[in-house]
């Protein structure tokens, strides 16, 4: 994830986001691997998702004019809900 850090508040926000992400440990939340600041940008480097992300899948599927099968959608929905529950349990 790329964050523009034009102001000191932007930098503080990026550091805060990275700090929270670094503490997350769930199979349903992408893990933060490292943070890199360069040329006014702050990069949050996450673990590699070899199957891509959900947004990419939706874009590809939309171009083919086909629907996802119900079982796949139910599986993804369950994973999303588990991730949200994990985050809510943290406070």
């Amino acid at each position: 994830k790329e964050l523009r850090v034009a102001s000191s508040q932007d930098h503080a926000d990026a550091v805060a986001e990275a700090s929270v992400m670094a503490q997350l440990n769930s199979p349903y939340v992408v893990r933060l691997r490292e943070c890199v600041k360069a040329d006014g940008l702050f990069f949050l480097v996450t673990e590699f998702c070899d199957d891509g992300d959900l947004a990419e899948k939706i874009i590809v599927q939309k171009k083919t004019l086909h629907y996802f099968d119900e079982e796949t959608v139910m599986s993804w929905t369950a994973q999303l809900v588990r991730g949200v529950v994990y985050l809510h349990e943290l406070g």
Side-chain angles (χ1 to χ4, degrees):
K1 180 176 182 180
E2 179 182 307
L3 303 173
R4 188 164 302 282
V5 287
S7 69
S8 58
Q9 183 60 51
D10 290 340
H11 184 268
D13 291 345
V15 170
E17 182 172 346
S19 176
V20 169
M21 287 182 69
Q23 298 174 39
L24 302 177
N25 186 19
S26 167
Y28 304 107
V29 178
V30 176
R31 288 180 184 83
L32 179 67
R33 292 296 179 207
E34 67 177 302
C35 303
V36 178
K37 184 179 177 189
D39 301 325
L41 296 172
F42 199 82
F43 297 93
L44 301 177
V45 182
T46 60
E47 67 186 342
F48 179 70
C49 298
D50 61 350
D51 205 21
D53 65 27
L54 184 56
E56 290 172 4
K57 290 182 178 304
I58 291 170
I59 290 168
V60 169
Q61 196 75 7
K62 189 174 182 180
K63 288 179 182 177
T64 66
L65 301 176
H66 291 96
Y67 295 106
F68 294 108
D69 62 86
E70 185 176 345
E71 186 176 314
T72 299
V73 173
M74 294 296 289
S75 174
W76 289 344
T77 302
Q79 291 175 49
L80 286 166
V81 169
R82 288 181 185 123
V84 171
V85 167
Y86 169 77
L87 295 172
H88 279 273
E89 286 175 346
L90 294 177

